[in-house]
């Protein structure tokens, strides 16, 4: 196959990208989007601050723009993200206790209901575990409402959109030996054992020299899959250039292909100039929209798999 999406489809997987509504008028951007990718994640437009800027006043304009563009082109959509300690609307940031718990659950219910039937998978909860050696939860206003806030969010999402896969999504959970990875693993294991509705785990996979592609990455994906969930690479970008970047992209792609329940890969932007890493070159297309060596290595790996 000659495009990322078609190449991934050969093994029943998808290949997606993050999309920013503000770039949809850029024909180079949209041309690559329409040609190469078969899954779309809104980079910011479905987050809590974007969708509920004032309490109980929901705003779906930019999220809809991305969703409709994708669906009109026959692409599926990953929803990102229903509950997160970051990018909360101002009115939520200083809330606590029962009021915050209810506001969070109402948000999950309202947004998942609005998009019911149109989302392949939701990142129900994003980045709820602490960095460092504790393996425990991240402190946040949501965490302080009680340790069961995550399962409450998943149950609300399931009730609102029973057809969407429900994912937990995080970063620095790629290395099997990290305490954070182990903490998330234990939560998923616990959810599966108690029947809390969880279908998938997203590995953001933002890699750079401080946080390289771990040698045990495939092991991590496989161990989570063995718990009975799908795994997905949800926000892939890898700093670097040339052949070393290309070989890292190759390794990540092959790791997913080697795990039956790794259902797809999403890169976090199209061209290097679209990346949240302002000064870097972590993506598959250069600023002019030309394919990089990293692109070719991903395409070849998908075609070989
Ligand atoms: O749109 C406003 C613009 O109107 C304003 O003038 C400008 C001034 O700061 O800000 C613009 O909003 C920015 C937005 O990106 C759109 O560009 C926000 O400040 C900025 O904080 C926001 O950054 C996003 C970041 O999440 C916020 O946490 C990045 O685009 C987005 O790529 C990044 O994505 C996250 C995932 O959601 C979760 N995992 C990590 C990943 C990378 O940080």
């Amino acid at each position: 196959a000659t495009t990322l999406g078609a190449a991934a489809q050969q093994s029943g997987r998808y290949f997606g990208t993050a999309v920013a509504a503000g770039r949809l008028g850029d024909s180079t951007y949209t041309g690559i989007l329409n040609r190469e990718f078969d899954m779309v994640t809104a980079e910011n437009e479905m987050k809590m601050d974007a969708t509920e800027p004032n309490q109980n006043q929901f705003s779906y304009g930019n999220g809809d723009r991305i969703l409709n563009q994708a669906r009109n082109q026959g692409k599926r959509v990953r929803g990102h993200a229903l509950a997160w300690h970051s990018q909360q609307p101002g009115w939520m940031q200083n809330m606590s206790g029962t009021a915050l718990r209810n506001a969070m659950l109402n948000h999950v219910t309202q947004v998942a209901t609005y998009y019911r039937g149109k989302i392949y998978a939701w990142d129900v909860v994003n980045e709820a575990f602490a960095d460092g050696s504790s393996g425990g939860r991240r402190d946040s206003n949501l965490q302080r409402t009680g340790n069961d806030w995550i399962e409450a969010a998943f149950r609300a999402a399931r009730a609102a959109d029973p057809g969407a896969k429900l994912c937990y999504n995080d970063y620095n959970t790629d290395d099997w030996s990290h305490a954070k990875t182990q903490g998330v693993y234990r939560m998923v294991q616990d959810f599966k054992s108690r029947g809390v509705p969880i279908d998938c785990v997203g590995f953001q996979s933002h890699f750079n020299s401080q946080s390289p592609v771990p040698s045990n990455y495939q092991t991590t994906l496989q161990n989570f899959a063995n718990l009975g969930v799908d795994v997905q690479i949800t926000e892939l970008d890898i700093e670097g250039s040339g052949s070393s970047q290309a070989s890292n992209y190759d390794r990540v792609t092959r790791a997913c292909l080697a795990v039956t329940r790794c259902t797809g890969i999403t890169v976090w932007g199209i061209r290097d100039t679209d990346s949240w890493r302002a000064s870097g070159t972590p993506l598959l297309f250069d600023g002019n929209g030309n394919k990089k060596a990293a692109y070719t290595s991903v395409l070849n790996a998908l075609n070989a798999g």
Side-chain angles (χ1 to χ4, degrees):
T2 59
T3 66
L4 299 169
Q9 282 170 24
Q10 295 171 131
S11 66
R13 294 179 172 84
Y14 64 82
F15 203 96
T17 183
V19 168
R23 297 184 196 272
L24 288 175
D26 174 338
S27 61
T28 304
Y29 180 88
T30 311
I32 300 170
L33 168 61
N34 291 346
R35 185 183 78 225
E36 295 286 343
F37 299 98
D38 63 347
M39 182 72 77
V40 159
T41 306
E43 186 174 2
N44 288 296
E45 294 80 352
M46 294 188 188
K47 292 174 179 175
M48 299 180 102
D49 58 351
T51 50
E52 195 177 357
N54 301 298
Q55 189 166 15
N56 260 315
Q57 289 181 4
F58 291 85
S59 168
Y60 297 110
N62 284 327
D64 283 351
R65 233 158 256 140
I66 291 174
L67 180 111
N68 292 332
Q69 204 277 346
R71 286 166 58 87
N72 288 340
Q73 294 284 325
K75 305 177 197 308
R76 292 181 291 172
V77 176
R78 288 191 89 264
H80 175 77
L82 292 172
W84 190 15
H85 70 276
S86 180
Q87 283 187 282
Q88 292 181 359
W91 60 265
M92 185 183 277
Q93 288 174 21
N94 295 317
M95 287 180 82
S96 63
T98 306
L100 174 61
R101 174 68 71 102
N102 290 338
M104 180 274 288
L105 292 175
N106 181 56
H107 181 87
V108 170
T109 299
Q110 295 294 327
V111 176
T113 299
Y114 179 82
Y115 285 116
R116 174 162 49 210
K118 298 177 176 168
I119 299 290
Y120 162 69
W122 266 112
D123 291 331
V124 178
V125 170
N126 196 38
E127 301 177 1
F129 277 73
D131 295 311
S133 58
S134 78
R137 297 286 180 83
R138 174 194 297 278
D139 180 50
S140 72
N141 61 347
L142 291 169
Q143 181 61 28
R144 290 190 292 270
T145 71
N147 206 49
D148 62 343
W149 75 274
I150 298 181
E151 61 191 88
F154 274 83
R155 292 187 200 281
R158 180 69 99 224
D161 186 357
K165 289 183 184 290
L166 305 182
C167 301
Y168 177 77
N169 191 54
D170 214 330
Y171 66 90
N172 282 349
T173 48
D174 316 287
D175 189 322
W176 180 244
S177 69
H178 280 178
K180 186 172 178 182
T181 310
Q182 295 295 314
V184 174
Y185 181 84
R186 284 191 297 271
M187 178 188 75
V188 176
Q189 192 173 42
D190 171 55
F191 281 13
K192 294 302 285 185
S193 75
R194 290 190 295 112
V196 178
I198 184 168
D199 306 302
C200 38
V201 177
F203 297 82
Q204 294 185 8
S205 305
H206 295 290
F207 295 122
N208 57 25
S209 54
Q210 277 76 51
S211 165
V213 183
S215 57
N216 56 24
Y217 188 56
Q218 183 183 320
T219 300
T220 304
L221 298 177
Q222 185 66 61
N223 285 346
F224 274 87
N226 290 348
L227 291 175
V229 289
D230 290 344
V231 295
Q232 300 166 354
I233 298 169
T234 52
E235 304 182 12
L236 179 62
D237 48 26
I238 311 178
E239 267 299 359
S241 61
S243 59
S244 85
Q245 181 181 46
S247 88
N248 280 322
Y249 266 103
D250 171 77
R251 283 185 50 214
V252 170
T253 306
R254 286 175 193 275
C256 179
L257 291 171
V259 175
T260 305
R261 293 198 74 161
C262 182
T263 59
I265 300 174
T266 293
V267 288
W268 205 240
I270 296 179
R271 300 162 301 194
D272 286 334
T273 44
D274 302 317
S275 172
W276 68 290
R277 293 193 193 275
S279 58
T281 56
L283 294 172
L284 300 180
F285 295 85
D286 70 19
N288 295 318
N290 298 311
K291 297 168 180 173
K292 295 165 58 181
Y295 171 93
T296 306
S297 75
V298 171
L299 184 68
N300 289 345
L302 292 171
N303 278 327

